[in-house]
Amino acid sequence: MRINRILGIFFGTFSLLALAACSVSTSPGGSGGSGSHKRSGALTIGFSQATQQSPFYVQLRQGARKAAEKAGAKLYFADAGGDVTKQNNDIQDLITRGVDVLMVNPVDPKGVKAGLAAAKSAGVSVVTVDRPVPSGAAAHVGRDNTAMGQLVGERIAKELGPKGGKIIEIKGDAGGAVARDRSSGFHKAVAANKKIRIVSGPYCDYIRSKAVTAMQDLLQTNPDVKAVYAHNDDMALGALQVLKENGRSDVKVAGVDGLMEAVKAIDQHGPYSATALNDPISLGRTAVKTAEDVADGKKVAASIDAGTALVDRDNAHKYVGGTTFASEGAR
């Protein structure tokens, strides 16, 4: 009876460890940690990401992976798939693996509170990436999304001129700081022209296919639209597709992130007018470097701005290249 009980405990523990291992991937290879956050050899970083359903986040992961490899660090990766409950569980799994530091790209800055509390309890420092949280992080690495929206807004306002007109805004994610800031920056930039009216579109979660569906309806109800502003280039390109299908080359389009497909469209001097740089490869690289510094006990700034710049018809040719996103270093 005693032997059966011991075997039951052994196999129960083994099953729990196996489940934890299945929810994260590793780059480069290696076994999970022992549950202790103290470093034993190479630096181990856990990266809990909100989603992989956008090119930006796919490239952000690649940037972090390459930076970790170059630094000789192990990177354990978990994709929340847009589910904040899964993300909290992912964070707990990464802690169980014994990571030295966590990078978190939150699905919901407030909803990830439980995961951050677990990290604090385990003594694991957190660096947030792209999307900040109200509290609980040692540092945040991102870009000034208000500035991005403002840069693009100023360009669109200039193109519309004193006559202004109706602008459709296709938004990112509900409650997200990035969407909020990109919206407020844009609104601030066009506010001086009282003849500009912004029509608020739905939240499309930065996904092109959702923006296509939304734009089909928005164009029907707003045939007098003069411009479309989307919170990322992927959604803006979805809107552009619908406009082309309806023969509306007169409608100006703008996005954010510097997606190369958008940069090339701008360089062709078509309806696509502007975007703002947000290179995810360099963002991932900066995040890993910050995580290293935090793990080593170095003093880091609470908020680290990776920088941005406007891409429009005047300078798009300088950024055109073979990468997925334009890089500021291309100038």
Side-chain angles (χ1 to χ4, degrees):
M1 202 63 181
R2 179 179 175 84
I3 291 174
N4 289 339
R5 187 178 299 134
I6 291 171
L7 287 172
I9 293 171
F10 171 78
F11 285 115
T13 303
F14 179 81
S15 298
L16 287 171
L17 289 172
L19 284 170
C22 287
S23 63
V24 293
S25 61
T26 312
S27 176
S31 59
S34 63
S36 170
H37 66 276
K38 292 182 180 180
R39 193 189 306 191
S40 55
L43 175 67
T44 304
I45 303 170
F47 188 12
S48 170
Q49 201 167 351
T51 182
Q52 288 283 279
Q53 293 187 50
S54 166
F56 178 85
Y57 293 112
V58 172
Q59 290 293 298
L60 178 60
R61 176 183 180 178
Q62 291 301 317
R65 179 184 62 79
K66 290 177 182 177
E69 287 178 353
K70 187 175 181 179
K74 291 181 179 179
L75 181 68
Y76 296 118
F77 177 82
D79 173 18
D83 184 337
V84 71
T85 301
K86 183 180 184 305
Q87 184 163 49
N88 282 316
N89 291 335
D90 287 344
I91 291 172
Q92 186 61 66
D93 287 346
L94 291 166
I95 293 169
T96 302
R97 286 204 158 206
V99 298
D100 300 304
V101 62
L102 272 167
M103 300 195 316
V104 178
N105 164 229
V107 172
D108 178 349
K110 294 181 180 178
V112 79
K113 185 177 180 180
L116 299 186
K120 182 179 180 181
S121 179
V124 178
S125 296
V126 172
V127 173
T128 52
V129 186
D130 187 50
R131 302 174 180 180
V133 293
S135 62
H140 172 69
V141 178
R143 290 189 167 94
D144 188 337
N145 287 286
T146 302
M148 290 181 188
Q150 190 164 349
L151 285 170
V152 173
E154 288 169 355
R155 179 66 192 191
I156 290 296
K158 182 179 179 180
E159 292 208 7
L160 290 178
K163 290 184 178 180
K166 182 184 289 185
I167 301 174
I168 289 174
E169 179 180 13
I170 299 178
K171 297 179 286 189
D173 57 331
V178 171
R180 179 198 66 211
D181 292 347
R182 290 183 181 184
S183 181
S184 66
F186 187 86
H187 281 246
K188 181 180 179 180
V190 304
N193 188 340
K194 302 304 178 184
K195 291 187 177 180
I196 288 179
R197 184 164 71 89
I198 297 178
V199 174
S200 182
Y203 292 101
C204 293
D205 300 316
Y206 303 103
I207 298 172
R208 186 180 307 200
S209 60
K210 290 186 178 182
V212 168
T213 301
M215 191 64 201
Q216 288 168 341
D217 294 333
L218 288 164
L219 187 57
Q220 290 295 320
T221 54
N222 299 279
D224 56 340
V225 60
K226 298 297 181 184
V228 176
Y229 167 60
H231 290 179
N232 77 344
D233 289 317
D234 213 34
M235 295 190 297
L237 287 162
L240 180 63
Q241 175 187 324
V242 174
L243 290 167
K244 284 182 175 179
E245 289 170 353
N246 287 272
R248 294 298 304 272
S249 59
D250 60 306
V251 181
K252 303 179 189 307
V253 178
V256 177
D257 283 343
L259 185 65
M260 188 56 69
E261 187 179 349
V263 174
K264 289 179 178 178
I266 295 168
D267 190 44
Q268 291 168 2
H269 294 263
Y272 214 113
S273 300
T275 184
L277 294 180
N278 188 22
D279 179 14
I281 295 291
S282 67
L283 186 63
R285 184 166 57 241
T286 303
V288 167
K289 179 62 172 66
T290 303
E292 284 184 87
D293 290 344
V294 168
D296 290 339
K298 295 180 181 178
K299 186 176 181 179
V300 298
S303 182
I304 298 168
D305 185 358
T308 188
L310 178 70
V311 179
D312 60 15
R313 295 189 185 100
D314 296 333
N315 64 4
H317 64 280
K318 298 180 181 179
Y319 295 98
V320 172
T323 55
T324 305
F325 286 82
S327 170
E328 190 166 0
R331 289 192 294 173

